[in-house]
Amino acid sequence: MFDIYTIIFLALAVFIFIRLRSVLGQRTGRERPPYDPYSRRDAAKAPVGASDKVVNFPGTPEPANLPEPVEPVDISEPGEPAPARWAGVAEVGSAVANGLDAIAGQERGFNVQHFIGGARAAYEMIVVAFANGDRAALKDLLAREVFDGFNAAITDRERRGEKMETQFVGIEKADIIEAGVKARTAQITVRFLSQLISVTRDQNGQVIDGDAEQVADVTDVWTFSRDLGARDPNWKLVATEAAS
């Protein structure tokens, strides 16, 4: 036999059940689909064939199948005059600014500051890899012709029993001195002013070049290239020149 308290609790339970069902037990047609934990992981996977050693220059779009542009496109931010895109990098109306305009006109994701950051990282990696004779690292960073030259120099050094030791101190400046597009291929030339401690020893450990105690100022002019609109977002070193 139910007492008054049991009846009260039963009535309260029925009331709560009805309220919950009215809120949680009906679909409105606006519910979000269930979260798929694998969707984000799959989206973050690198493209097939990508290498961990390749320096990815930020600011390049993901891929491909981009339409051929009829004319350069203004990619400046709303309210930002186009010349301000290259502030601190190239003077308005200069050959470099015009070349960067040509690249940006065919690749909307291009960001010159991100490129310079990637070029600086690539420069250090290549200098250190060459000193260490790391062909695997160099192969993914250099165009075929440049790799062949670096590989030949490393082979000659090994044949003579010499060892190169390089300590990278830092990059003082990295300035773009040329830029442009030819046949959907972008090229940007950068002058690097860097500081290194470099020494080459013979097979007996005697110093034959450089100074293990002296920081040297080095100027290099390197040209990087990339096929615009290609699936591979990476720039590769296509030419090197030592400058005084």
Side-chain angles (χ1 to χ4, degrees), residues 58-60 86 107-116:
T60 53
W86 320 127
E107 191 130 349
R108 294 186 63 87
F110 177 72
N111 182 306
V112 70
Q113 294 297 342
H114 290 175
F115 169 84
I116 292 173

Side-chain angles (χ1 to χ4, degrees), residues 83-94:
R85 292 199 298 254
W86 320 127
V89 175
E91 294 183 4
V92 176
S94 66

Side-chain angles (χ1 to χ4, degrees), residues 86-223:
W86 320 127
V89 175
E91 294 183 4
V92 176
S94 66
V96 172
N98 292 338
L100 293 174
D101 282 336
I103 295 173
Q106 298 190 43
E107 191 130 349
R108 294 186 63 87
F110 177 72
N111 182 306
V112 70
Q113 294 297 342
H114 290 175
F115 169 84
I116 292 173
R120 292 169 70 102
Y123 179 83
E124 179 176 354
M125 289 178 64
I126 292 169
V127 168
V128 173
F130 174 72
N132 294 337
D134 188 349
R135 294 178 174 85
L138 291 172
K139 192 169 185 178
D140 288 325
L141 295 167
L142 313 179
R144 178 62 182 271
E145 296 78 7
V146 178
F147 173 79
D148 289 344
F150 277 49
N151 183 45
I154 293 172
T155 300
D156 287 345
R157 194 170 67 209
E158 293 172 341
R159 180 175 49 80
R160 295 190 298 267
E162 298 171 355
K163 182 178 180 181
M164 188 175 184
E165 302 169 0
T166 296
Q167 180 181 346
F168 196 89
V169 178
I171 298 175
E172 184 177 345
K173 293 182 67 178
D175 297 326
I176 295 176
I177 59 174
E178 291 182 11
V181 178
K182 184 176 181 180
R184 293 286 291 168
T185 298
Q187 287 196 346
I188 300 179
T189 301
V190 183
R191 179 189 288 117
F192 295 97
L193 304 181
S194 64
Q195 293 184 321
L196 309 172
I197 299 175
S198 185
V199 62
T200 302
R201 302 180 186 273
D202 63 18
Q203 55 189 348
N204 299 316
Q206 299 299 311
V207 175
I208 57 175
D209 187 34
D211 189 332
E213 305 295 331
Q214 182 69 36
V215 176
D217 295 321
V218 179
T219 301
D220 286 306
V221 177
W222 287 11
T223 299

Side-chain angles (χ1 to χ4, degrees), residues 18-94:
I18 293 172
R19 291 298 302 273
L20 288 175
R21 186 177 184 281
S22 68
V23 175
L24 303 177
Q26 299 177 0
R27 291 185 176 273
T28 66
R30 297 183 179 179
E31 292 81 6
R32 294 184 180 180
Y35 171 68
D36 181 358
Y38 297 99
S39 61
R40 291 177 63 85
R41 186 178 67 181
D42 291 341
K45 288 181 180 178
V48 176
S51 169
D52 292 339
K53 295 188 178 67
V54 176
V55 176
N56 190 342
F57 287 67
T60 53
E62 276 300 322
N65 300 325
L66 299 178
E68 290 287 340
V70 177
E71 59 184 14
V73 179
D74 182 6
I75 63 166
S76 58
E77 295 296 328
E80 175 192 13
R85 292 199 298 254
W86 320 127
V89 175
E91 294 183 4
V92 176
S94 66

